[in-house]
């Protein structure tokens, strides 16, 4: 039984925290503006009034919040985690944020005697609820070994991508690049077929099982054909992730031309009020340019 | 037993013709500048001196040649197929060419009483030899039914994509768009990871089985990491296919921004003398821009 602080009880964090509690761990959670989930309180979660207090009372502190500035706030804001940690504690950031900032955050926490893991996830709300998340981890092997039993309560495909902090976030960026570009690939291909007068559903079926096959062709290809763009994973969140990719690319001095294009299509979706639709709705931007809807 | 004309005994056509002959069919082949494969001659293939003669002697004429102009030459050039066909014959184009030109070719052949199928393949030399090609067919159901026993000798995943000519070629274009863009997706993602100091092999493993997974991540991701760029499918051929996609897009009035980018990367590969390498070597263009090689 570990004492676990859990900061960020959103759509992802709430079921993840429940799995930890169900696994027999004592949770310390942060008082929210909105009401805390009753199941967690009934299960014995202790409410704290600051991230500092969470860090003082728990041995391992997990955060899963929207973006880089929120992680910075949790760690180094007023009454943040950094103010409450002491030697031997472990901070695990399961948010999806900048790999470059992650290195800096980890160095500052290490200087306080606190171990750091970056451990972003993929699999979405469905994976969080089913405890089948993919967890991509960066940080020291010893910290990974310490955290692994907790990861196994929340996910299935758990990889220590590298022993330097940022490796997990870098892997998540790679994941989001591929997913976005594969969505655009399927979108451009099905749009071409549809505009040429060919049934996109038959094209998808003919291509599945061949060299063009992908998880995205299977899942999002069907979404594009059936016009089911309710999320899923929202365009606004994928924009945030591609922003991390593109600002990272600028910092690293590399060129990601198709990632940049995909982000522009997401921007166009926002311009058409589609930011809350599933990221497969990227195809809508291609359709608007083509003045043709896939059918 | 059918009388089958087979025009284009190249890397793909030769094993395909052999499977038809092994299936008990009588082949009529075109005299070449280079020597004809001895196995075909030993098996009883009849040599003709023109495509016209092939069309006169065979009931079903199959062609698999490099590009649109070669199909036009085979059909409508001096002593071409069109000069030799009579009512009731069937022409099957298994080349990968323009879907728009295909419609025009089919209309001209239909006017001569000759049925037409466009039936491009994917699966490459390996699929041709193993008779496991994916065959994407456009044309009338009756013609498809007539040709199906022949397709089954050469391939496995055989789909009548649409009953209009050009549907098979359109599906092949969609295939080539997705494959090219998935290659770029994996290339951009692994380059990002490598430049950020993370082992791309571990990233690939972490992402396989998740939402970023694709046939290209599995096969070409490994090629990029192991630096095995011997073909495979040559960049020069994929450029030809993306040219069909982009000129088709212009004719149809649709915009394919990532397909255009991918073609530019292939162009850059040509500029660096990489046109005969496998299409996964598209990542080399990204690497050259980044002044960093994946490792």
């Amino acid at each position: 039984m570990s004492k676990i602080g859990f900061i960020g009880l959103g759509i992802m964090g709430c079921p993840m925290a429940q799995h930890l509690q169900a696994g027999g761990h004592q949770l310390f959670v942060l008082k929210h503006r909105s009401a805390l989930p009753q199941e967690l309180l009934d299960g014995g979660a202790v409410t704290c009034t600051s991230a500092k207090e969470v860090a003082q009372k728990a041995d391992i502190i997990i955060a899963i919040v929207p973006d880089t500035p929120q992680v910075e706030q949790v760690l180094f804001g007023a009454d943040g985690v950094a103010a409450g940690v002491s030697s031997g504690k472990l901070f695990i950031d399961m948010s999806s944020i900048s790999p470059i900032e992650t290195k800096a955050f980890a160095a500052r926490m290490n200087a306080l005697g606190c171990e750091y893991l970056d451990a972003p996830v993929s699999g979405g709300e469905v994976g969080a609820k089913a405890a089948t998340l993919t967890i991509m981890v960066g940080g020291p092997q010893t910290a990974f070994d310490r955290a692994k039993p907790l990861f196994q309560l929340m996910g299935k495909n758990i990889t220590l991508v590298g022993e330097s902090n940022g490796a997990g976030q870098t892997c998540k960026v790679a994941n989001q690049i591929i997913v976005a570009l594969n969505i655009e690939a399927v979108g451009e291909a099905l749009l071409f077929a549809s505009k040429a007068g060919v049934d996109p559903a038959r094209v998808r079926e003919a291509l599945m099982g061949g060299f063009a096959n992908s998880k995205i062709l299977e899942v999002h290809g069907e979404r594009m054909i059936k016009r089911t763009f309710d999320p899923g994973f929202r365009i606004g969140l994928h924009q945030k992730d591609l922003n991390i990719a593109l600002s990272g690319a600028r910092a690293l001095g590399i060129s990601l031309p198709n990632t940049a294009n995909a982000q522009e299509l997401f921007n166009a979706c926002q311009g058409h009020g589609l930011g809350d639709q599933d990221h497969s709705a990227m195809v809508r931007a291609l359709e608007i340019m083509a003045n043709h809807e896939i059918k």
Side-chain angles (χ1 to χ4, degrees), chain A:
Chain A
M1 200 273 284
S2 299
K3 294 179 181 175
I4 301 172
F6 204 103
I7 297 170
L9 295 167
I11 288 173
M12 297 294 291
C14 190
M16 291 163 70
Q18 286 174 338
H19 290 307
L20 293 172
Q21 193 177 58
H25 299 288
Q26 170 66 56
L27 291 189
F28 298 87
V29 299
L30 197 54
K31 198 169 161 45
H32 254 248
R33 265 160 294 180
S34 55
L36 285 168
Q38 195 57 44
E39 306 94 298
L40 288 179
L41 301 176
D42 291 346
V46 173
T47 307
C48 304
T49 56
S50 70
K52 176 183 172 183
E53 188 187 343
V54 171
Q56 285 169 332
K57 292 189 171 160
D59 296 320
I60 298 175
I61 306 102
I62 295 172
I64 179 160
V65 293
D67 201 354
T68 311
Q70 286 80 36
V71 174
E72 187 168 26
Q73 177 68 23
V74 162
L75 286 173
F76 309 112
D79 290 324
V81 168
V85 292
S86 49
S87 189
K89 302 218 175 185
L90 168 63
F91 178 78
I92 307 174
D93 180 24
M94 303 189 78
S95 324
S96 292
I97 70 163
S98 159
I100 294 165
E101 294 296 311
T102 289
K103 285 182 210 291
F105 295 164
R108 288 174 71 182
M109 294 302 288
N110 290 162
L112 301 170
C114 179
E115 288 189 298
Y116 193 105
L117 290 175
D118 49 299
V121 303
S122 84
E125 190 181 351
V126 172
K129 285 185 173 162
T132 57
L133 292 167
T134 294
I135 307 179
M136 298 155 265
V137 190
Q141 181 77 48
T142 51
F144 178 74
D145 294 340
R146 186 174 169 194
K148 200 172 179 186
L150 306 182
F151 292 149
Q152 286 169 328
L153 291 170
M154 298 182 282
K156 249 173 51 174
N157 185 7
I158 300 151
T159 308
L160 181 62
V161 182
E163 291 198 51
S164 298
N165 280 120
Q169 297 294 356
T170 297
C171 189
K172 179 69 191 283
V173 170
N175 184 77
Q176 296 304 77
I177 290 173
I178 292 177
V179 169
L181 270 48
N182 286 7
I183 289 173
E184 185 161 347
V186 172
E188 292 194 12
L190 295 185
L191 182 65
F192 183 93
S194 177
K195 189 74 197 277
V198 177
D199 181 0
R202 279 185 161 180
V203 169
R204 173 175 164 274
E205 277 158 34
L207 300 189
M208 275 168 57
F211 226 59
N213 200 26
S214 66
K215 201 79 184 156
I216 296 299
L217 179 65
E218 290 169 23
V219 178
H220 288 346
E222 189 171 35
R223 276 178 171 273
M224 293 176 198
I225 291 162
K226 294 197 172 161
R227 319 302 292 172
T228 50
F229 295 131
D230 47 305
F233 187 73
R234 281 169 219 278
I235 282 174
L237 282 171
H238 210 149
Q239 280 183 289
K240 181 211 78 173
D241 292 339
L242 293 193
N243 188 46
I244 293 170
L246 293 169
S247 60
R250 191 168 64 240
L252 293 167
I254 67 174
S255 174
L256 303 178
N258 274 5
T259 303
N261 265 352
Q263 181 76 311
E264 296 301 322
L265 292 187
F266 280 145
N267 294 353
C269 288
Q270 287 284 4
H272 286 266
L274 305 172
D276 282 333
Q277 292 208 341
D278 185 71
H279 54 168
S280 55
M282 183 205 278
V283 72
R284 293 285 298 120
L286 295 167
E287 291 176 337
I288 288 161
M289 282 196 284
N291 195 25
H292 174 84
E293 210 164 273
I294 285 176
K295 55 169 176 266

